[in-house]
Amino acid sequence: MAHGQAVRADDFAREIFHLLGPPFDAASRDGARELGNYRAAWLDAIDAGLSPGQMGDLCIKGRKDAAAIGQHRRRFYRGEGSPEAYWRFRFNKHLAARRGLSRAERAIG
C-alpha cells in the first residue's frame, strides 16, 4: 500500500502547488523547491504509517488548506513567513493529529 501512496506524491505536490498559486513558475528554482517540499510532506505521512482512511483525510485537509491560503495569499504573509510555509505548518499539524489517533487505535486493537 505504501508504494501506491508514494506514486501519488508527485501528483499531490503539483496539486498543492497549483492551489497555493505561488508567484513563481513550477519550473523555476523556487518552484522546484516547493514541489519537493509538498512531495516530502506526503512522504512523511506515508512514513508515519497512516491508514488509507487517514491518508485520504489528510489529503482532503491539505487540499482545503491550500485552496483557502491560495485565495487569500496576502493574509498569510506574517513576518518572514510565506503562504507556502504556512501550508506546511498546517499540514504538519494535521499529520501530528493523525499520528496520535493512529497510536490510540493501535492501543485499542
Side-chain angles (χ1 to χ4, degrees):
M1 180 189 77
H3 175 70
Q5 292 290 346
V7 171
R8 295 183 52 205
D10 289 330
D11 292 336
F12 178 76
R14 284 190 293 273
E15 185 174 8
I16 297 302
F17 185 90
H18 173 73
L19 289 169
L20 284 171
F24 40 82
D25 187 64
S28 70
R29 183 177 176 182
D30 288 336
R33 183 186 67 237
E34 289 304 322
L35 284 168
N37 178 33
Y38 310 142
R39 185 177 193 282
W42 189 252
L43 294 175
D44 286 348
I46 293 169
D47 290 344
L50 302 182
S51 71
Q54 290 173 316
M55 290 294 290
D57 269 354
L58 190 61
C59 185
I60 291 168
K61 293 277 189 183
R63 288 177 184 147
K64 183 178 174 184
D65 287 346
I69 293 167
Q71 288 177 352
H72 305 285
R73 288 186 59 83
R74 295 183 89 187
R75 181 182 305 166
F76 296 100
Y77 279 105
R78 292 207 167 83
E80 293 183 28
S82 70
E84 293 77 24
Y86 184 66
W87 177 86
R88 183 61 190 259
F89 169 77
R90 299 272 307 167
F91 186 87
N92 288 343
K93 286 186 71 149
H94 296 311
L95 176 56
R98 278 150 189 79
R99 277 184 177 145
L101 182 61
S102 180
R103 283 191 209 114
E105 287 174 348
R106 281 188 228 137
I108 293 171

